[in-house]
Amino acid sequence: MSAVEGDGSTGVPATLSARQLARRRRRESFLRSWRIFRRNRSGMLGLVILAVFAFIALAAPLLASSQGLEVTQATGGVLEPPSSQYWLGTDDQGRSVLTLLIWGARISLFVGLAATVISMVIGTLIGLISGFSGGWAGAVLFRLTEWFLVIPFLPLAIVLATVLGRSLFNIVLVIGVTSWPGTALLIRSQTLSIKERAYIERARVLGAGRWHQMSRHVLPNVMPMVFANTTLTVAIAILAETTLSFLGLGDPTRVSWGSMLDDAFQVGAITTGAWWFIVPPGVCVVLVVLAFTLIGQALEEVLNPRLKGR
Amino acid sequence: MSDLLRMRDVSLTYRSEGGDVPAVRNVDLDLDRGEIVGIAGESGCGKSTLASTILRLQPPTARVTGEVLFEGQDVLTMSWGHLRALRWAGASMVFQGALHSLNPVQRVGDQIAEPIHLHDPETSDKQAHLRVGELLEQVGLPAARARAYPHQLSGGQKQRIMIAMALACRPRLIVADEPTTALDVMVQAQVLHVLSGLVHELGVGMLMISHDLSVLADLCDRIVVMYGGRVVEQGPSKLVFGEALHPYAEALSAAFPRVGDPAARYAPSGLPGDPPDPAALPPGCSFAPRCPRVIDDCTRAVPELRSFGGDRQASCIRVGQP
Amino acid sequence: MTLATNPSVAEAAEEVETSRRHRSYGRYVLGKVLGSLASLAFVLVVNFFLFRVLPGDPARNLSRGRFVSKGQLAAFNKTYGLDQSVPQQFLTYLNNTLHGDLGISIKYRVPVSQLILDRLWPTLLLVGTSTILAAIIGVWLGIRGAWKRGGAFDKASTGTSLTLYSMPEWWLGLLLIAVFAVGWGPIPGIFPTGGLHSVDAQPGTLSGVLDTAWHLTLPVITLTLAYLADYSLIMRSSLLDELGEDYLTTARAKGLRDIVVRNRHAVPNALLPTTTVIALSIGFVVSGAITIETVFSIPGLGLLGVDALETPDFWVLQGTFMVASAGVIAANLVANLLYGLLDPRVRT
């Protein structure tokens, strides 16, 4: 944390200890929040589910060989039902559905997280600036946010994905640049309320620059809300990735849960009754999205006690 | 017994995760027809909580013991149907913070008419409309104001609406819970004037709750001072205000807060510290930690409410001592 | 009994104040309409840039290299006005769009506006029915859950809603098709797997209407469940917000039954934000229909857009995108005006 180093070299002990104090207070408030969070049963359930999937994604090479993804290396028959060799059966190319599922977790989580990072950066920046600077620039940014809010998300994402071409990077980009307005509005309203508080006034009287006020006072205070909002955005981003891949706009060279479902739909797995190709990827999506949603809600409750008991 | 309201040994305990929290402890209180009684004390001393039991409006997590007799019938044990008939028609309330106590999306006239229709289903719309106009004029507002929404009214106007609403069913008792707290000084005086005038004119009994002892001294026949959920002193208002027996009542009246000074509500001058947390009451007399006259005996036992003649009572072992 | 201080002056001032506040509803409406027009202008601009400027060489990119020879390319560019300068193109585009000319479909060789009009009603039927059903059931679930918060019903309905919320709605559609259209175990597949009517159906007759209703049953159930999750969660949380309010204590103190306190005071207030959300979601008609129409092969706007991806038929893509955005803006406006009508506080 840069707050401790900063310009501590001026050697004023009082300032330094004040900063250490601030740091310790932040640590304590984090621990307090964690204690509240731990009592939230649905939040903890979400955390456990997420931990399981994070483990699967990270340990994918250990759990299943990546050769199982190659169509040419496929050993099973077409749409074989679950057996002792293929626990979740095979797909239309004879690949193990379980292997696809394990590797698909990587793509889904990666796209979800990476798109969220983009969305958060854009949303936080625009929200902060439009809330903090007021005046002309603030008004323009606010209008821009509202405009982006009315553009229907899925059609825009589809159009962008079509125009930009089909790759993993583009999918991340498309989801990232279409899902920031909600965050921006949230950050803006938080910034506006924090701006009114006394300590910003004090910082202004003491002659602190705008950037200083923003980075030292506003940002640390909006960060918790950003954090809670992030988890909810990941859920939406993962759903968006699944839907775009299902519509055939995903990266054709990679397997994700969405592209598996696209394959299943295209080869008529529904009419042939190959449930093992349809049910498991969907269940994985539901579980991961639910996990992020539960965690996000629990975080909001921790940060905003008024919501308690929802 | 001509008592309008008779509370006997009323205690209210909130049950929470961290254990039981006694908000009101063993309170006795009497109020006759047409009498005005004030309850004084700082925020958090149990005044409003006590008042909520009169119409059994306490939250479901609270446990109430004792007796709350309204015209001889126990409110705490009567059937729900009986209780609903009593609410507003027998006793009505003027809540604190009229800003939030009115439904924001209904016209105030409709809100005043609602209990009229409820308690007298025979009333025609026209009759109710006329009655609403009459009530509004009684509190000094034009009858046309019935069509306004709460947000179109000023704080003082809203509080008058609340008073008009409280009078709607011609109750025998009005419980006014900090009716003027959110208002500025001039408006506060006007609203109190309207309220006390109507109460005297109509012969209604009133229980008025305020942190402001000087307001109560002006309006009330008797004053009850509460601290830490208990009654610490009661008696004729001039005496309680002028020559208090209990050190807390003395501090409150000595503070003589300027009317409407919000700071005075939380810290009467000359009295350092905060009222006790009901979840962690000090042993013995709750006021002991802040009391200027404290002695060792104060923390040994909860002091009894003792009579001092002339309808005066106080719960302090130091009264009468040098 | 009147007031001590001179009430007439203060009241006169109040009257002026009040009438000024009433007049401002007109200004509120005007503001919202202007805001919507600005949004519409923004969408027009975005639409232009998205399809003509962003791809670099539109003809090559958007046709995915199907025009090999220079002559073909030039012809393509000329047909679609792509040989003009960008500002010139923009003016042409504006002029055409404002006259309802959205270009000609590359695949179907008919005007895009005609295509969109033809495909509009299945989408409206599907999304409209689902929205109405979801609103009724969702609001009811939300009210019951919030009123008995923490009870068995609340826990079950919140859990179900959260799960449905976490589910891609088209996946739910796939499951419903697998179980109720194809058949699964003892459950016979009685519903059609897709389409809007049977081959031999006679449109316009009662049997034709029933046939369409039969075809729409599964897709409507799917979308209803998807929307329901949203609506019930919002209704629940806005009612919980209201339940803490003081005016409900006032209502109870008046002697009203709990059920009356709930239905006359708490619910109407809690419905305000929910109404807005529902009105807004109607705007996302096309978005909502895209995946469901794909899964159930219903020939609506959504499927039109998805099919256009394959060709790619980019005037169609642009047209559906425009309609989708305009729908959101219109719904936004309706939601705001509705809110202004329902909530007296907003008008001032």
Side-chain angles (χ1 to χ4, degrees):
Chain A
M1 199 172 256
S2 65
V4 178
E5 296 117 36
D7 49 314
S9 56
T10 44
V12 186
T15 329
L16 204 68
S17 72
R19 278 190 189 154
Q20 277 168 342
L21 203 71
R23 193 184 177 191
R24 198 201 302 156
R25 211 182 300 138
R26 222 163 272 167
R27 211 178 101 88
E28 273 165 10
S29 91
F30 173 79
L31 286 175
R32 199 175 330 117
S33 302
W34 167 240
R35 274 196 298 275
I36 303 173
F37 186 91
R38 234 175 22 193
R39 278 208 300 268
N40 187 314
R41 271 158 71 197
S42 52
M44 285 308 284
L45 176 69
L47 210 56
V48 170
I49 299 175
L50 185 61
V52 170
F53 276 97
F55 170 78
I56 291 174
L58 290 173
L62 304 173
L63 297 172
S65 158
S66 65
Q67 282 186 351
L69 299 174
E70 305 287 332
V71 179
T72 48
Q73 308 269 334
T75 49
V78 171
L79 290 177
E80 261 183 52
S83 61
S84 58
Q85 193 188 354
Y86 302 109
W87 291 357
L88 287 175
T90 61
D91 74 345
D92 55 308
Q93 314 268 12
R95 297 177 293 184
S96 159
V97 170
L98 186 61
T99 304
L100 299 179
L101 217 52
I102 289 170
W103 285 87
R106 290 196 145 193
I107 302 299
S108 292
L109 283 176
F110 169 76
V111 172
L113 292 172
T116 302
V117 169
I118 295 182
S119 157
M120 280 301 131
V121 170
I122 302 177
T124 308
L125 269 181
I126 292 194
L128 266 181
I129 297 171
S130 80
F132 196 78
S133 61
W136 187 82
V140 167
L141 285 176
F142 179 55
R143 263 269 103 116
L144 190 75
T145 314
E146 281 201 317
W147 280 336
F148 263 91
L149 211 57
V150 301
I151 293 184
F153 168 74
L154 192 56
L156 178 64
I158 288 174
V159 167
L160 277 179
T162 315
V163 166
L164 296 174
R166 295 159 197 205
S167 74
L168 194 63
F169 177 76
N170 282 347
I171 278 276
V172 169
L173 192 71
V174 163
I175 298 173
V177 298
T178 48
S179 57
W180 58 266
T183 309
L185 284 186
L186 179 80
I187 301 299
R188 179 177 186 270
S189 68
Q190 289 278 312
T191 309
L192 284 176
S193 76
I194 287 166
K195 204 168 91 172
E196 297 309 313
R197 286 194 210 153
Y199 53 95
I200 286 284
E201 278 304 321
R202 212 168 53 218
R204 198 175 297 150
V205 170
L206 292 175
R210 281 205 160 179
W211 181 245
H212 178 88
Q213 291 172 42
M214 200 137 95
S215 62
R216 285 286 156 77
H217 298 281
V218 178
L219 204 56
N221 283 291
V222 298
M223 270 344 259
M225 271 328 269
V226 174
F227 193 52
N229 188 247
T230 304
T231 30
L232 292 173
T233 307
V234 178
I236 295 168
I238 289 177
L239 273 179
E241 187 275 334
T242 313
T243 299
L244 288 177
S245 298
F246 175 69
L247 293 174
L249 294 165
D251 189 331
T253 63
R254 287 176 213 260
V255 174
S256 78
W257 296 332
S259 73
M260 289 172 73
L261 287 165
D262 183 25
D263 281 350
F265 182 60
Q266 299 296 343
V267 302
I270 304 161
T271 38
T272 55
W275 58 267
W276 56 90
F277 199 15
I278 305 167
V279 175
V283 169
C284 287
V285 173
V286 173
L287 283 177
V288 171
V289 173
L290 190 62
F292 277 109
T293 308
L294 291 178
I295 295 171
Q297 281 192 339
L299 279 177
E300 275 185 343
E301 248 172 57
V302 170
L303 298 168
N304 185 359
R306 225 174 71 84
L307 295 174
K308 218 165 194 175
R310 293 293 160 83
Chain B
M1 191 58 75
S2 70
D3 274 351
L4 182 60
L5 179 70
R6 211 173 140 80
M7 303 176 98
R8 283 293 171 270
D9 198 24
V10 174
S11 297
L12 185 146
T13 310
Y14 289 111
R15 278 168 296 182
S16 75
E17 281 174 41
D20 287 358
V21 179
V24 172
R25 298 182 291 162
N26 315 93
V27 170
D28 292 347
L29 194 145
D30 293 282
L31 200 151
D32 276 325
R33 249 164 238 289
E35 191 186 17
I36 304 183
V37 173
I39 303 183
E42 289 162 285
S43 297
C45 66
K47 303 172 304 221
S48 299
T49 313
L50 178 68
S52 71
T53 63
I54 297 170
L55 287 178
R56 218 206 277 174
L57 287 169
Q58 68 273 11
T61 53
R63 193 180 59 232
V64 184
T65 56
E67 283 182 328
V68 178
L69 302 174
F70 183 80
E71 293 174 338
Q73 290 176 303
D74 193 348
V75 174
L76 297 177
T77 54
M78 66 174 55
S79 72
W80 278 103
H82 197 157
L83 177 68
R84 279 198 298 271
L86 173 84
R87 283 178 174 178
W88 223 256
S92 63
M93 294 192 78
V94 177
F95 288 97
Q96 65 178 329
L99 183 64
H100 302 291
S101 296
L102 291 168
N103 188 329
V105 301
Q106 284 184 8
R107 296 184 192 279
V108 292
D110 296 342
Q111 298 188 52
I112 298 174
E114 187 176 34
I116 300 175
H117 283 296
L118 180 74
H119 291 287
D120 184 6
E122 307 282 288
T123 320
S124 69
D125 283 351
K126 191 161 162 56
Q127 284 171 317
H129 181 77
L130 288 174
R131 174 86 179 121
V132 169
E134 189 185 299
L135 286 163
L136 287 174
E137 273 161 17
Q138 274 187 326
V139 296
L141 290 173
R145 204 30 65 86
R147 292 190 51 75
Y149 289 99
H151 73 277
Q152 293 168 329
L153 302 173
S154 68
Q157 287 174 323
K158 268 184 284 213
Q159 201 54 271
R160 286 169 200 231
I161 297 285
M162 283 302 293
I163 294 170
M165 193 153 51
L167 294 170
C169 298
R170 301 188 172 87
R172 275 88 72 197
L173 173 68
I174 293 178
V175 180
D177 187 354
E178 305 264 11
T180 57
T181 299
L183 308 175
D184 63 53
V185 189
M186 282 302 295
V187 184
Q188 190 174 20
Q190 291 169 4
V191 170
L192 285 174
H193 187 87
V194 170
L195 190 59
S196 64
L198 284 170
V199 167
H200 281 301
E201 189 181 350
L202 303 172
V204 184
M206 182 159 84
L207 187 66
M208 177 147 163
I209 297 166
S210 179
H211 61 276
D212 192 334
L213 203 55
S214 61
V215 164
L216 294 180
D218 268 358
L219 291 179
C220 301
D221 304 314
R222 281 189 304 124
I223 290 180
V224 176
V225 180
M226 285 184 73
Y227 189 82
R230 297 176 62 93
V231 173
V232 293
E233 173 157 0
Q234 64 168 316
S237 58
K238 296 288 173 281
L239 291 177
V240 173
F241 190 58
E243 323 158 15
L245 296 172
H246 194 283
Y248 178 63
E250 201 176 0
L252 268 188
S253 52
F256 205 112
R258 278 174 297 119
V259 181
D261 179 5
R265 180 177 180 189
Y266 301 102
S269 58
L271 188 57
D274 297 312
D277 177 3
L281 287 169
C285 175
S286 308
F287 188 58
R290 296 169 78 190
C291 185
R293 302 184 63 198
V294 67
I295 56 172
D296 285 351
D297 277 352
C298 289
T299 55
R300 296 228 166 86
V302 177
E304 299 272 315
L305 201 58
R306 292 183 293 153
S307 285
F308 290 91
D311 195 25
R312 297 194 72 182
Q313 290 179 304
S315 68
C316 177
I317 55 171
R318 298 279 283 150
V319 177
Q321 289 183 2
Chain C
M1 181 76 220
T2 44
L3 205 56
T5 50
N6 185 350
S8 55
V9 176
E11 287 307 329
E14 285 287 339
E15 285 306 326
V16 173
E17 176 102 332
T18 309
S19 70
R20 190 181 59 79
R21 281 171 173 172
H22 276 295
R23 221 185 302 131
S24 67
Y25 183 54
R27 200 177 302 153
Y28 172 82
V29 172
L30 188 70
K32 293 297 168 192
V33 170
L34 286 178
S36 298
L37 287 177
S39 299
L40 211 53
F42 174 74
V43 165
L44 277 176
V45 175
V46 166
N47 217 348
F48 177 78
F49 277 88
L50 214 51
F51 285 89
R52 261 155 278 220
V53 178
L54 206 59
D57 186 350
R60 193 175 293 282
N61 270 335
L62 291 173
S63 60
R64 296 239 182 82
R66 272 187 299 115
F67 301 103
V68 254
S69 79
K70 274 221 164 104
Q72 270 178 316
L73 246 177
F76 180 89
N77 279 338
K78 192 161 174 53
T79 317
Y80 295 103
L82 296 176
D83 50 350
Q84 299 165 321
S85 69
V86 170
Q88 187 62 44
Q89 279 186 50
F90 185 66
L91 286 179
T92 317
Y93 156 83
L94 266 189
N95 190 37
N96 286 349
T97 307
L98 292 179
H99 287 88
D101 178 3
L102 299 174
I104 296 197
S105 159
I106 297 171
K107 184 178 169 192
Y108 299 95
R109 299 280 164 203
V110 289
V112 172
S113 48
Q114 184 59 47
L115 214 48
I116 286 176
L117 279 180
D118 288 348
R119 298 293 197 96
L120 194 58
W121 78 265
T123 302
L124 285 181
L125 194 61
L126 168 67
V127 179
T129 316
S130 311
T131 307
I132 292 169
L133 285 177
I136 294 169
I137 305 170
V139 164
W140 179 76
L141 284 177
I143 292 174
R144 268 206 71 174
W147 198 249
K148 293 250 179 320
R149 180 213 313 210
F153 183 89
D154 183 34
K155 280 184 181 146
S157 90
T158 308
T160 312
S161 294
L162 275 175
T163 311
L164 285 171
Y165 176 82
S166 305
M167 198 177 280
E169 69 285 352
W170 45 268
W171 182 68
L172 181 65
L174 291 180
L175 293 188
L176 290 182
I177 293 176
V179 175
F180 296 106
V182 176
W184 182 66
I187 303 168
I190 49 171
F191 288 97
T193 52
L196 204 52
H197 31 67
S198 314
V199 194
D200 54 350
Q202 288 145 333
T205 65
L206 180 66
S207 69
V209 171
L210 286 177
D211 181 58
T212 302
W214 190 240
H215 276 77
L216 278 176
T217 306
L218 285 185
V220 165
I221 289 176
T222 312
L223 261 190
T224 303
L225 287 173
Y227 290 159
L228 185 94
D230 256 0
Y231 300 168
S232 74
L233 289 173
I234 285 159
M235 185 63 202
R236 179 176 178 273
S237 80
S238 37
L239 188 53
L240 282 181
D241 272 346
E242 294 299 326
L243 290 186
E245 295 292 332
D246 291 342
Y247 68 85
L248 294 185
T249 310
T250 310
R252 237 176 289 127
K254 284 177 179 174
L256 296 172
R257 287 171 183 278
D258 268 7
I259 193 87
V260 181
V261 173
R262 183 184 94 179
N263 292 343
R264 198 186 290 167
H265 290 278
V267 168
N269 282 286
L271 268 175
L272 292 172
T274 315
T275 310
T276 321
V277 169
I278 292 173
L280 273 179
S281 79
I282 294 173
F284 288 86
V285 161
V286 181
S287 311
I290 287 177
T291 54
I292 295 300
E293 286 179 4
T294 306
V295 167
F296 288 95
S297 37
I298 296 168
L301 272 184
L303 194 59
L304 180 70
V306 172
D307 281 345
L309 280 177
E310 317 258 319
T311 316
D313 198 344
F314 69 104
W315 300 138
V316 171
L317 217 47
Q318 177 187 289
T320 39
F321 181 67
M322 190 112 76
V323 172
S325 310
V328 180
I329 293 168
N332 225 322
L333 183 64
V334 170
N336 276 321
L337 297 187
L338 206 61
Y339 205 114
L341 274 182
L342 294 176
D343 191 341
R345 286 166 294 183
V346 177
R347 294 192 288 251
T348 49

